Amino acid sequence: QLQLVESGGGLVQPGGSLRLSCAASGFTLDYYYIAWFRQAPGKEREGVSCISSSGDSTYYTDSVKGRFTISRDNAKNTVYLQMTSLKPEDTAVYYCAADRLSMCAKSRKYGYWGQGTQVTVSS
């Protein structure tokens, strides 16, 4: 079946780093835009980053620019989010999403979703 699975979350102290992975099975990501979203308790889901199908275009929300890096390896059918200089406000469940889009988009435009991975930044 078609599936996206996130991994790599965990507990980290402020200033630390984590690398999240989003692995697809049952379909190829070659033609898909991939986005990372996050949602903290009681808050709206927020777009964090997005990468084009070829990997030649990326987007980051202002709050993570310079700290997070999105990348993809289509041969491995996997997308990554490298997070550095983590802050407590980065604490959230992080989701990856995919769809055959022509640009980064709001969450409602994505048809494939993972189950999420928890990132907690706390001392």
Side-chain angles (χ1 to χ4, degrees), residues 84-106:
T84 63
S85 301
L86 283 162
K87 304 175 181 179
E89 53 262 44
D90 295 318
T91 296
V93 177
Y94 284 71
Y95 300 89
C96 66
D99 218 323
R100 295 191 63 169
L101 305 174
S102 58
M103 65 185 74
C104 297
K106 300 290 187 180

Side-chain angles (χ1 to χ4, degrees), residues 59-119:
Y59 162 84
Y60 302 93
T61 193
D62 286 346
S63 63
V64 308
K65 286 181 179 177
R67 301 189 298 119
F68 291 11
T69 302
I70 191 170
S71 62
R72 67 189 298 159
D73 187 340
N74 285 348
K76 296 181 179 179
N77 226 22
T78 301
V79 174
Y80 306 96
L81 185 67
Q82 179 68 50
M83 306 185 295
T84 63
S85 301
L86 283 162
K87 304 175 181 179
E89 53 262 44
D90 295 318
T91 296
V93 177
Y94 284 71
Y95 300 89
C96 66
D99 218 323
R100 295 191 63 169
L101 305 174
S102 58
M103 65 185 74
C104 297
K106 300 290 187 180
S107 62
R108 69 181 66 182
K109 300 294 186 181
Y110 293 88
Y112 297 101
W113 288 82
Q115 293 298 308
T117 185
Q118 177 71 49
V119 172

Side-chain angles (χ1 to χ4, degrees), residues 38-54:
R38 65 186 180 186
Q39 188 165 27
K43 297 185 178 180
E44 294 183 351
R45 184 166 294 176
E46 174 189 25
V48 177
S49 186
C50 182
I51 188 166
S52 63
S53 56
S54 66

